[in-house]
């Protein structure tokens, strides 16, 4: 057992498994142990697991055992049927290898935690081990060769003899047997690619007839065979109009049954959930194929290209995007890059591999380009990686993966490795649907509909869930009514951390903000209150659409209690609709009136529950007002749609719970006490006179400003209200 654990190559056959050995995936560990077993004269099988795919943290432990491990289970016999008298090869062998999943820097690795090579049976010789079923595999090249031989009319025995001569092996020494070839030919008969392609096009035409907004396009090659096909559903096109600013184009999977590349366009909606934009099947993986896919996708989406697009590190795709989407910022998914590090650097760096990986993550998350360049050179010098081809390639392509070069572009949080894992899990559902090509489009539609139903249910639950306020800031209470719970949590994280930062004015409208423990450095924040413009050198808002802690610190320090509307992007709001239907001034005036109405309703509620007489009057008057309002016609495309969308979302203000557990209702940034009628009656009966004293202690809510209440509010008493009066920035 070596002193320092190193990560083994997948194809290595000269190493013995040892405790602490690392692998990048379960499959890599299986291949390594399988190669070791083949050398020793036995085969292995997958055994026990801890966890389950798609549930919680997924599988966290896996055991591989000798193929003769365990004991045969007794089978129930049926005397009416003929039984095959086959003996089991299992004899309770204890040889095994156990791997456990560990996640360092959000990148999962599998480490060997248990290994035993003690067998209670004889091991096969090297010239016999290939007869074990586990090693009777047919490579992709051999499969295509067998398919060609079958079309030429050769018998199975002729195929085997010809392949023995081609490979230069002795008679009967191929890695597969006659029965394996016959099973393969039988599976070919079940897959009629040409016929299935015709059925697939017929299925797409059926979808188009049922839904004119369904989009599909295909290409036929010179032999009249299906070469490429792409499609998108009507709901996907609508989602792209709202959330197509940042897109992931995943091309790392194949439809193995038909030897076609599977590409899927995915985005993230305002609730942080994956949304499907389109799908493509490509016969070849080259620049021409990717160009066709990108052109077709843009055609589906009315020529609208995304602001940013994330892909794997594919040079053909990189060139195609630069031609077809010249204005789109292209970036590589860091998750796919880091997954290769174990093969590239673990053996080279040995015991220093973990330290180097930590240093790489630090460089990856830096904010300033100049600092990244300096620190990268120091890292290369420290680990003597000047001549390493992978380091040279990473540096040459640094503008495609390093965050200092990407922070000026909007990626909606999709660069995080945890999001890449969720995208991969999302795509796995499509891979399981590829049993028959003609049903693939229909099965994908079923998966999308099912996911939309689950996502809709989760969104509804989030809306009903109480939001916990952590700072008590008017800024926080207002944002809770505007942003979705997902986006609000992101902004709340920054609000909570903002007080830990100190601000220093540099010049007029310019501030330096840094953590209170830092003695130098920091971020530069520029604020122009009159123009409602604010920016930070960390570019967190440009990168995620969420204001950073530095900006929030400056706003709070300068007594600004509300975030300007342009810094609460529509794509993160509870309703995502374009702001082009009316001018910004009209939108703001409408929002002011709605916020004022919400404040009055909250005040009405607080005053009405003081006594039963007040409550009766309030109920009577509100009923009259409602009947009067319903006499006027409603509008389906008016201001109300822009501000809040639908009645279900505009009239229901989310319940908000502060850190003390007191439920409050917030409207337009104004904080009011809000109780249910039952609780108020119970409290009034219990507290008696004390209740009125507490009521008089707190001033009645008004405009949200400080230093006065509703009785002497200079704003509420005026007849004309404008944005400045209501506390707008």
């Amino acid at each position: 057992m070596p002193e320092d654990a190193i990560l083994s190559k997948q194809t290595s056959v000269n190493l013995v498994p040892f405790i602490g050995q690392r692998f990048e995936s379960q499959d890599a560990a299986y291949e390594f142990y399988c190669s070791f077993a083949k050398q020793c004269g036995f085969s292995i099988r997958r055994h026990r697991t801890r966890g389950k795919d798609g549930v919680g943290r997924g599988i966290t432990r896996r055991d591989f055992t000798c193929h003769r491990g365990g004991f045969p289970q007794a089978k129930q016999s049926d005397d009416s049927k003929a039984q095959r008298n086959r003996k089991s090869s299992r004899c309770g062998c204890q040889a095994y290898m156990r791997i456990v999943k560990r996640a360092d820097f959000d990148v999962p690795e599998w480490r060997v935690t248990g290994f035993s090579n003690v067998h209670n049976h004889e091991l096969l010789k090297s010239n016999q081990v290939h007869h074990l079923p586990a090693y009777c595999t047919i490579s992709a090249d051999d499969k295509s060769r067998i398919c060609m031989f079958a079309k030429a009319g050769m018998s199975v025995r002729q195929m085997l003899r010809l392949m023995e001569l081609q490979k230069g092996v002795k008679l009967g020494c191929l890695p597969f047997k006659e029965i394996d070839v016959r099973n393969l030919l039988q599976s070919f008969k079940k897959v009629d690619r040409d016929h299935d392609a015709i059925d697939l096009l017929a299925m797409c035409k059926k979808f188009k007839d049922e839904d004119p907004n369904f989009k599909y396009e295909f290409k036929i090659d010179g032999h009249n065979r299906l070469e490429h096909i792409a499609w998108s559903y009507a709901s996907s096109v609508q989602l792209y109009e709202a959330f197509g600013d940042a897109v992931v184009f995943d091309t790392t999977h194949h439809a193995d049954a038909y030897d076609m590349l599977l590409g899927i366009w995915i985005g993230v909606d305002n609730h942080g959930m994956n949304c499907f934009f389109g799908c493509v099947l490509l016969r070849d993986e080259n620049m021409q194929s990717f160009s066709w896919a990108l052109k077709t996708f843009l055609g589906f989406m009315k020529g609208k290209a995304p602001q940013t697009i994330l892909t794997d590190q594919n040079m053909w795709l990189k060139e195609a995007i630069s031609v077809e989407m010249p204005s789109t910022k292209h970036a590589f998914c860091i998750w796919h890059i880091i997954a290769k590090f174990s093969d590239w650097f673990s053996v080279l760096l040995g015991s220093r591999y973990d330290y180097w990986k930590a240093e790489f993550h630090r460089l990856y998350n830096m904010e300033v380009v100049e600092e990244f360049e300096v620190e990268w050179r120091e890292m290369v010098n420290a680990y003597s990686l000047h001549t390493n081809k992978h380091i040279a390639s990473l540096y040459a392509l640094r503008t495609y993966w390093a965050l200092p070069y990407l922070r000026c572009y909007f990626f909606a949080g999709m660069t995080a490795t945890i999001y890449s894992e969720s995208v991969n899990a999302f795509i796995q559902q499509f891979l399981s649907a590829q049993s028959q090509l003609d049903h693939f489009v229909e099965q994908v539609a079923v998966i999308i509909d099912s996911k939309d139903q689950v996502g809709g249910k989760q969104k509804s639950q989030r809306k009903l869930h109480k939001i916990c306020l952590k700072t008590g800031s008017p800024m926080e209470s207002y944002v809770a009514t505007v942003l979705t719970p997902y986006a609000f949590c992101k902004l709340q994280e920054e609000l909570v951390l903002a007080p830990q930062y100190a601000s220093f004015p540099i010049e007029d409208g310019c501030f330096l903000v840094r953590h209170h423990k830092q003695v130098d450095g920091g971020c530069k924040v520029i604020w122009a209150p009159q123009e409602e413009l604010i920016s930070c050198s960390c570019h967190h808002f440009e990168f995620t659409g969420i204001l950073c802690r530095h900006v929030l610190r400056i706003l709070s320090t300068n007594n600004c209690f509300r975030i300007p509307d342009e810094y609460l992007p529509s794509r993160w709001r509870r309703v995502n609709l374009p702001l082009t239907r009316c001018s910004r001034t009209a939108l703001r005036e409408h929002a002011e009136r709605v916020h004022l109405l919400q404040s009055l309703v909250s005040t009405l509620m607080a005053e009405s529950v003081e006594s039963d007489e007040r409550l009766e009057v309030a109920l009577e008057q509100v009923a009259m007002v409602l009947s009067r309002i319903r006499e006027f016609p409603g509008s389906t495309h008016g201001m109300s749609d822009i501000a809040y969308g639908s009645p279900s979302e505009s009239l229901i203000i989310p319940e908000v719970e502060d850190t003390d557990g007191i439920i409050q209702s917030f409207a337009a940034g104004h904080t009011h006490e809000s109780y249910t009628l039952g609780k108020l009656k119970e409290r009034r009966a219990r507290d008696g006179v004390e209740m009125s004293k507490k009521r008089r202690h707190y001033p009645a809510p008004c405009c949200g400003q400080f230093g006065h209440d509703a009785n002497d509010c200079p704003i509420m008493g005026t007849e004309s209200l404008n944005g400045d009066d209501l506390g707008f920035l």
Side-chain angles (χ1 to χ4, degrees):
M1 185 184 302
E3 295 178 358
D4 299 320
I6 62 173
L7 186 65
S8 303
K9 295 183 178 179
Q10 296 181 21
T11 57
S12 175
V13 296
N14 298 318
L15 296 177
V16 177
F18 57 87
I19 305 299
Q21 191 174 9
R22 295 195 302 263
F23 300 92
E24 66 178 33
S25 65
Q26 296 183 62
D27 293 335
Y30 177 82
E31 291 179 14
F32 174 82
Y33 192 35
C34 190
S35 300
F36 169 77
K38 191 173 183 180
Q39 277 190 326
C40 295
F42 68 99
S43 64
I44 63 171
R45 58 185 172 86
R46 292 177 173 87
H47 195 40
R48 298 188 184 92
T49 62
R50 175 181 293 172
K52 186 178 181 181
D53 274 332
V55 179
R57 295 186 301 167
I59 296 177
T60 58
R61 192 181 77 183
R62 165 76 74 176
D63 288 355
F64 304 108
T65 63
C66 174
H67 73 288
R68 302 193 67 177
F71 296 94
Q73 296 180 355
K75 297 182 179 180
Q76 296 181 354
S77 59
D78 189 352
D79 297 336
S80 62
K81 296 181 180 180
Q83 300 290 325
R84 290 186 296 177
N85 188 19
R86 294 190 305 173
K87 293 184 178 180
S88 174
S89 63
R90 298 192 179 187
C91 60
C93 180
Q94 298 295 317
Y96 79 102
M97 184 179 80
R98 172 175 296 167
I99 56 175
V100 174
K101 185 178 182 180
R102 304 285 175 81
D104 295 333
F105 307 103
D106 296 329
V107 180
E109 286 184 347
W110 294 83
R111 299 190 181 183
V112 178
T113 59
F115 172 68
S116 173
N117 198 33
V118 179
H119 299 263
N120 62 355
H121 57 89
E122 292 185 3
L123 301 178
L124 299 180
K125 297 180 181 179
S126 58
N127 60 346
Q128 298 174 328
V129 71
H130 69 275
H131 292 298
L132 291 172
Y135 303 124
C136 294
T137 57
I138 306 177
S139 64
D141 292 337
D142 289 339
K143 286 181 180 179
S144 61
R145 194 174 288 114
I146 290 172
C147 183
M148 180 180 62
F149 293 160
K151 291 181 178 180
M154 296 177 61
S155 67
V156 174
R157 293 185 179 180
Q158 288 174 332
M159 296 179 194
L160 293 173
R161 184 56 185 154
L162 180 57
M163 296 181 73
E164 288 171 350
L165 295 174
Q166 289 177 337
K167 293 177 178 292
V169 299
K170 295 181 181 180
L171 184 66
C173 289
L174 286 172
F176 46 86
K177 297 181 289 187
E178 180 178 342
I179 186 62
D180 301 314
V181 177
R182 294 190 183 277
N183 290 337
L184 178 65
L185 293 175
Q186 186 66 27
S187 66
F188 283 157
K189 293 180 181 179
K190 296 179 182 178
V191 179
D192 187 351
R193 296 183 180 181
D194 296 336
H195 185 270
D196 279 355
I198 297 174
D199 291 342
L200 175 62
L201 296 178
M203 179 64 69
C204 289
K205 186 177 183 303
K206 176 185 175 184
F207 267 83
K208 185 71 173 179
D209 293 338
E210 295 175 352
D211 184 2
N213 293 321
F214 175 77
K215 311 283 187 181
Y216 79 101
E217 191 66 53
F218 62 92
K219 182 180 179 182
I220 304 298
D221 63 10
H223 300 286
N224 203 30
R225 295 177 57 203
L226 180 65
E227 187 174 4
H228 311 311
I229 183 169
W231 67 92
S232 181
Y233 307 98
S235 60
S236 301
V237 176
Q238 293 176 354
L239 284 172
Y240 184 83
E241 291 179 1
F243 308 111
D245 43 13
V247 173
V248 172
F249 185 32
D250 190 287
T251 58
T252 58
H253 298 84
H254 283 76
D256 294 328
Y258 299 91
D259 192 26
M260 298 184 77
L261 179 74
L262 175 64
I264 298 179
W265 287 276
I266 301 174
V268 60
D269 65 10
N270 54 344
H271 291 271
M273 303 181 69
N274 293 327
C275 48
F276 175 86
F277 293 146
C279 191
V280 64
L281 289 171
L282 303 174
R283 179 69 62 187
D284 304 311
E285 187 176 357
N286 51 42
M287 181 180 173
Q288 291 74 23
S289 298
F290 288 129
S291 294
W292 181 90
L294 295 172
K295 282 182 181 178
T296 304
F297 179 73
L298 290 178
F300 292 164
M301 305 305 170
K302 305 174 184 178
K304 176 186 175 182
Q307 298 178 22
T308 56
I309 187 169
L310 275 167
T311 70
D312 62 310
Q313 192 175 349
N314 188 307
M315 294 299 106
W316 288 319
L317 182 56
K318 172 179 173 292
E319 294 299 323
I321 291 176
S322 65
V323 174
E324 305 300 335
M325 298 179 176
S327 61
T328 299
K329 175 58 181 177
H330 181 203
F332 294 149
C333 178
I334 192 64
W335 188 68
H336 294 295
I337 295 176
I338 293 177
K340 303 173 184 176
F341 282 179
S342 56
D343 283 343
W344 291 353
F345 303 111
S346 61
V347 176
L348 175 66
L349 297 174
S351 60
R352 299 190 299 167
Y353 171 69
D354 286 337
Y355 298 103
W356 174 85
K357 192 166 61 172
E359 178 66 10
F360 176 86
H361 279 84
R362 187 183 70 84
L363 297 177
Y364 166 74
N365 286 291
M366 294 184 73
E367 296 178 352
V368 183
V369 171
E370 292 75 13
E371 294 179 0
F372 172 85
E373 294 286 345
V374 174
E375 297 287 339
W376 180 271
R377 287 192 292 269
E378 293 180 358
M379 180 270 292
V380 173
N381 294 332
Y383 291 90
S384 302
L385 297 172
H386 305 84
T387 59
N388 186 273
K389 62 179 182 180
H390 300 300
I391 288 292
S393 176
L394 285 173
Y395 183 74
L397 298 171
R398 62 193 182 280
T399 58
Y400 287 86
W401 59 264
L403 291 187
Y405 296 92
L406 302 178
R407 293 189 184 276
C408 294
Y409 304 92
F410 178 72
F411 283 94
M414 295 192 297
T415 56
T417 55
I418 189 171
Y419 182 81
S420 300
E421 293 177 0
S422 69
V423 168
N424 185 65
F426 182 66
I427 294 176
Q428 292 299 325
Q429 301 177 62
F430 297 96
L431 296 178
S432 63
Q434 57 172 310
S435 56
Q436 288 185 330
L437 187 60
D438 58 325
H439 294 311
F440 188 63
V441 176
E442 187 176 16
Q443 291 172 341
V444 170
V446 172
I447 293 174
I448 297 301
D449 291 340
S450 175
K451 182 183 180 300
D452 289 343
Q453 292 176 4
V454 174
K457 184 177 180 180
Q458 292 178 352
K459 292 175 185 178
S460 299
Q461 292 175 347
R462 288 178 181 176
K463 291 178 182 178
L464 297 176
H465 190 270
K466 294 189 294 290
I467 298 175
C468 179
L469 297 185
K470 299 180 180 179
T471 67
S473 165
M475 205 181 302
E476 182 186 23
S477 61
Y478 171 68
V479 171
T481 66
V482 177
L483 300 182
T484 61
Y486 170 81
F488 171 72
C489 288
K490 297 293 183 182
L491 184 61
Q492 190 181 53
E493 292 175 3
E494 301 297 318
L495 274 169
V496 170
L497 294 174
Q500 300 180 16
Y501 287 75
S503 62
F504 307 94
I506 302 176
E507 54 189 37
D508 187 24
C510 186
F511 301 85
L512 181 66
V513 182
R514 61 169 175 252
H515 195 269
H516 69 95
K517 293 183 179 180
Q518 290 181 316
V519 295
D520 55 4
C523 294
K524 185 177 180 181
V525 178
I526 299 176
W527 183 36
Q530 301 302 325
E531 293 81 12
E532 295 187 355
L533 296 177
I534 190 165
S535 64
C536 181
S537 61
C538 73
H539 300 294
H540 188 267
F541 177 76
E542 292 84 352
F543 188 58
T544 65
I546 302 295
L547 283 178
C548 63
R549 61 200 67 171
H550 315 110
V551 166
L552 296 173
R553 177 61 178 170
I554 294 301
L555 292 178
S556 61
T557 303
N558 289 272
N559 299 324
C560 178
F561 301 108
R562 178 164 172 179
I563 297 175
D565 287 338
E566 52 265 38
Y567 294 101
L568 298 174
S570 59
R571 72 113 52 228
W572 292 130
R573 296 195 177 207
R574 292 178 176 269
V575 177
N576 180 275
L577 289 172
L579 298 179
T580 57
R581 298 184 187 177
C582 64
S583 65
R584 179 178 296 181
T585 303
L587 175 61
R588 173 170 294 184
E589 291 176 354
H590 174 75
E592 291 173 5
R593 294 195 295 270
V594 172
H595 296 155
L596 177 59
L597 175 62
Q598 291 176 332
S599 179
L600 292 174
V601 169
S602 181
T603 304
L604 174 66
M605 182 66 181
E607 294 292 337
S608 299
V609 296
E610 289 290 342
S611 66
D612 291 338
E613 292 79 7
R614 287 189 176 191
L615 185 59
E616 291 297 332
V617 173
L619 291 174
E620 180 181 355
Q621 295 299 321
V622 169
M624 294 174 58
V625 171
L626 282 177
S627 62
R628 177 73 184 279
I629 290 174
R630 289 173 181 147
E631 295 176 358
F632 295 91
S635 174
T636 57
H637 302 286
M639 286 291 195
S640 59
D641 289 338
I642 300 173
Y644 292 95
S646 63
S648 61
E649 294 188 353
S650 62
L651 299 181
I652 299 178
I653 305 174
E655 281 190 337
V656 184
E657 183 175 357
D658 64 13
T659 53
D660 297 326
I662 301 175
I663 298 178
Q664 298 178 340
S665 177
F666 293 91
H670 306 305
T671 309
H672 306 292
E673 296 184 42
S674 177
Y675 305 90
T676 63
L677 181 59
K679 289 183 178 180
L680 282 169
K681 288 184 176 180
E682 178 183 355
R683 183 172 178 180
R684 183 168 62 246
R686 183 178 65 250
D687 295 344
V689 182
E690 185 65 21
M691 180 65 183
S692 61
K693 293 181 179 179
K694 293 182 178 180
R695 282 292 183 181
R696 288 193 295 269
H697 178 72
Y698 295 105
C702 53
C703 64
Q705 303 295 335
F706 297 96
H708 61 272
D709 56 20
N711 296 324
D712 56 349
C713 177
I715 299 177
M716 299 294 287
T718 59
E719 296 181 356
S720 60
L721 299 176
N722 54 43
D724 295 332
D725 293 333
L726 286 173
F728 281 85
L729 179 63

